[in-house]
Amino acid sequence: MPAVTVENPLELPRVVQTLAGDRPRRVKSITTAPRGIEGEGFPVRRAFAGIDMVDLDPFIHLDQMGEIDYGPGEPKGTPWHPHRGFETVTYMIEGTFLHQDSIGGGGVIQNGATQWMTAGAGILHIERPPDALIDSGGLFHGFQLWVNLPARLKMTTPRYQDIEAEAISMLTNDQGDAIIRVIAGSLGDAGGPGVTHTPISIVHVSLMPGGQLVLPWNPAYNALTYALAGQGTVGLDRNPLVEGQMAVHVDGDFLVLSANETQDSRTQAFEVLILGGEPIREPVATYGPFVMNTREELQQAFEDYQAGRLGQIPANHI
Ligand code: MN
């Protein structure tokens, strides 16, 4: 159950309507995210596996973290590690992550909060559960998205933004059976709180059983829908989409989502993450934590990291 919610969705502003002549986006592909292990051993689903980079642009990587119900002593995080050339967006639906970085940024990400980190020219950071959560165990569910930077911004000054859950814009549909959270970018008139270098929209929708959502989507943006929990369909022609599956939507002005009448016992709603952005259309070279344009720039990033030029672990580190 997402932490950012409302008692009565009908009190929320309505999402913008489609216009006469608007066309629904066609579903190009549906893929199932394989499971993997990240950091010091927390379970993730690699949501972009098997999808053409051209369809993902400007996004690079998406991990769904959990959902997992940890026992005492089980919660895990990452060691200190570097990044260069892109931005990370971390959104916690359930549970808590502590963050600290080499530019003085840091904080607690929990219960609907978002953390936006522009690695730019270079940063070191760590993400881990707080000691109390390691001791107690508990639910952990969120995602981390990597947003590419264009060549002219790859070496920009690193930046850290902590976005509290209260800052997220919430909307609904005419029936009031959808909660639409604008985490970053904009959706119609509704602006999200994240300041982004690359124009994007990140939206988290909870669609009640049997509900349908028609969502206008910037035709210049790509469009990806990922089922975080539950089951439903995407597109006017109702392509099934269930937990752990990603759909690529092309050519059109709006998206259509429907939630099945029956959801599984673990979720009350069809929980969908919707991503879109302006494609950067540049060559992409990636190696581990670095996302650059060429192999030479990757080599330089690795050398700069070895020489300590991506930052230092702060003396007061967690
Ligand atoms: Mn990282």
Side-chain angles (χ1 to χ4, degrees):
M1 184 67 181
V4 186
T5 193
V6 288
E7 288 280 319
N8 180 7
L10 285 167
E11 292 170 359
L12 296 173
R14 300 296 189 275
V15 71
V16 286
Q17 301 289 311
T18 53
L19 304 172
D22 279 357
R23 295 170 309 134
R25 288 219 183 192
R26 176 172 64 82
V27 174
K28 178 180 174 183
S29 66
I30 292 179
T31 44
T32 301
R35 295 176 192 275
I37 295 290
E38 193 50 76
E40 290 169 335
F42 56 92
V44 294
R45 294 194 80 150
R46 312 289 189 189
F48 287 171
I51 302 173
D52 193 332
M53 296 273 314
V54 170
D55 291 326
L56 299 176
D57 191 8
F59 306 114
I60 297 292
H61 185 81
L62 176 65
D63 275 345
Q64 180 184 12
M65 307 186 294
E67 176 187 286
I68 180 170
D69 195 358
Y70 282 123
E74 289 179 348
K76 294 186 175 61
T78 71
W80 281 92
H81 61 277
H83 291 297
R84 172 180 278 179
F86 64 104
E87 304 184 89
T88 65
V89 183
T90 307
Y91 176 68
M92 292 304 296
I93 298 168
E94 305 258 17
T96 308
F97 241 0
L98 299 178
H99 170 266
Q100 191 178 30
D101 64 41
S102 54
I103 59 165
V108 181
I109 323 166
Q110 65 183 344
N111 298 341
T114 309
Q115 175 226 80
W116 199 290
M117 188 183 78
T118 305
I123 199 165
L124 264 53
H125 78 149
I126 187 172
E127 296 144 302
R128 51 160 286 198
D131 289 337
L133 183 63
I134 296 174
D135 291 344
S136 66
L139 270 182
F140 179 80
H141 189 200
F143 68 79
Q144 185 171 88
L145 173 71
W146 292 13
V147 185
N148 202 5
L149 287 167
R152 66 184 173 81
L153 288 172
K154 284 210 177 283
M155 297 298 278
T156 193
T157 306
R159 179 173 71 182
Y160 177 81
Q161 300 172 71
D162 235 341
I163 300 163
E164 290 308 316
E166 299 75 48
I168 289 173
S169 302
M170 284 196 283
L171 304 167
T172 191
N173 56 352
D174 275 342
Q175 297 75 31
D177 53 17
I179 298 174
I180 305 160
R181 304 169 192 81
V182 185
I183 298 169
S186 60
L187 187 69
D189 305 331
V195 179
T196 72
H197 281 294
T198 301
I200 61 172
S201 298
I202 304 179
V203 176
H204 171 200
V205 172
S206 299
L207 193 57
M208 300 310 134
Q212 191 185 60
L213 176 64
V214 174
L215 196 65
W217 200 251
N218 186 335
Y221 285 9
N222 68 335
L224 308 165
T225 52
Y226 180 73
L228 292 163
Q231 37 213 309
T233 67
V234 287
L236 269 184
D237 49 350
R238 292 182 169 264
N239 304 269
L241 192 79
V242 303
E243 178 180 333
Q245 290 189 318
M246 167 75 77
V248 174
H249 304 254
V250 294
D251 304 332
D253 312 282
F254 64 91
L255 302 169
V256 182
L257 302 176
S258 301
N260 290 3
E261 289 285 353
T262 306
Q263 298 294 325
D264 56 57
S265 59
R266 292 174 44 224
T267 183
Q268 295 176 354
F270 185 35
E271 302 287 344
V272 184
L273 176 65
I274 310 178
L275 310 172
E278 204 171 274
I280 294 172
R281 298 193 177 92
E282 292 178 359
V284 176
T286 66
Y287 181 77
F290 309 125
V291 182
M292 306 302 291
N293 295 109
T294 67
R295 284 179 58 89
E296 291 69 30
E297 289 166 350
L298 288 178
Q299 184 63 35
Q300 187 64 52
F302 195 76
E303 286 171 19
D304 286 349
Y305 170 53
Q306 298 290 62
R309 288 189 288 265
L310 267 63
Q312 302 293 330
I313 298 173
N316 64 339
H317 67 87
I318 55 177

